[in-house]
Amino acid sequence: MGIPEERIERLHEQSREAAAAGDVDRSQEYVRLARRIAERNRLRLPREFRRFTCDACDAYLVPGVNAQVRLQSGHVVIRCDCGEIARYPYD
Amino acid sequence: MPLTPETLTRHELVGLHARVADATNPDLIGVSGRVVSETERTLSLDDGSRVRQVPKRGATLEFRLDAPTDEAAGAGKAPGTPSELPSETPGVRAGQSGGCEGEAYVTVDGARLLSRPALRTEKAGDSTWR
């Protein structure tokens, strides 16, 4: 595994910790940086990262805190506090 | 590539513990804490009570790598505890200092880190022209 992948992994962890500690700005900053690294190095972000970050505002999503999760037939709907809705299938 | 003394300048600094070993600003010497943020020219260190923003240029930073670095190059230097000491690989631009129990301390000239955070992996640290 190369350095960019590892940086993304570390930032993911840091972002999750910052979000858990209530430090929203910092967790957003880490998500942005991880996305930028993935973009520069043409990497796909890990699935967990994609599922738990907001595409619109880069927030790290914590269900029950800044995200609403609803299970529907065939798909999950997760809605960020900013209003962005993401849907993904069960798999 | 794991986070080792050799790759530190191109690796993620956020989350590492750092200490300012030397700086052109005497007030910043001795500042230590977790790196919480990085910009092109500064690092922010959180010491628990406040966040200090330290310019990279002119500062010498000592990073603590928590995971023992498992280096083939370190074996020659300290046969007993090769995995606990930072390796003394020739050609590494970062100066090395002593290791403690299960930790390695890496001293880096802040000028080595001058780069935008996302581009540091691509640009900083590898040049032999500095």
Side-chain angles (χ1 to χ4, degrees):
Chain A
M1 197 161 64
I3 292 178
E5 288 100 321
E6 280 193 9
R7 288 189 74 183
I8 290 167
E9 217 166 68
R10 275 169 184 268
L11 285 166
H12 183 188
E13 204 174 291
Q14 294 294 329
S15 180
R16 182 168 46 206
E17 281 168 18
D23 209 334
V24 179
D25 292 346
R26 204 155 275 159
S27 72
Q28 269 179 329
E29 187 186 322
Y30 299 158
V31 169
R32 287 200 183 109
L33 179 54
R35 290 213 164 117
R36 179 73 178 142
I37 290 169
E39 181 180 68
R40 295 273 322 166
N41 294 280
R42 303 189 60 181
L43 296 169
R44 195 167 176 80
L45 288 162
R47 176 177 287 180
E48 197 187 338
F49 186 98
R50 279 178 273 142
R51 297 272 161 99
F52 284 95
T53 51
C54 175
D55 284 346
C57 70
D58 295 324
Y60 194 86
L61 300 175
V62 185
V65 177
N66 63 352
Q68 172 189 292
V69 183
R70 291 292 180 267
L71 307 180
Q72 298 185 0
S73 62
H75 62 279
V76 181
V77 179
I78 183 160
R79 181 194 179 97
C80 175
D81 274 356
C82 75
E84 176 79 357
I85 300 171
R87 295 183 181 85
Y88 54 85
Y90 296 124
D91 48 14
Chain B
M1 290 178 81
L3 178 51
T4 63
E6 287 76 22
T7 60
L8 181 114
T9 51
R10 295 192 292 138
H11 219 294
E12 189 52 55
L13 302 177
V14 166
L16 296 178
H17 188 276
R19 192 177 68 84
V20 181
D22 194 18
T24 45
N25 175 0
D27 291 342
L28 292 174
I29 297 173
V31 169
S32 70
R34 210 172 63 93
V35 180
V36 290
S37 181
E38 183 187 358
T39 66
E40 185 171 355
R41 297 183 192 187
T42 69
L43 283 174
S44 296
L45 305 182
D46 185 356
D47 65 1
S49 55
R50 62 179 284 197
V51 177
R52 305 285 297 256
Q53 198 165 25
V54 180
K56 294 175 182 171
R57 180 170 283 137
T60 305
L61 294 137
E62 190 180 272
F63 291 94
R64 185 173 73 206
L65 309 184
D66 287 329
T69 50
D70 194 8
E71 286 286 309
K77 177 78 180 168
T81 56
S83 62
E84 290 175 8
L85 289 169
S87 61
E88 294 279 354
T89 313
V92 175
R93 57 276 160 199
Q96 312 280 348
S97 61
C100 280
E101 292 295 312
E103 292 169 348
Y105 289 90
V106 187
T107 315
V108 184
D109 182 359
R112 286 278 167 207
L113 305 170
L114 284 171
S115 173
R116 289 186 212 172
L119 271 58
R120 198 155 39 74
T121 302
E122 304 152 45
K123 297 195 170 182
D126 268 347
S127 170
T128 52
W129 296 98
R130 251 196 247 181

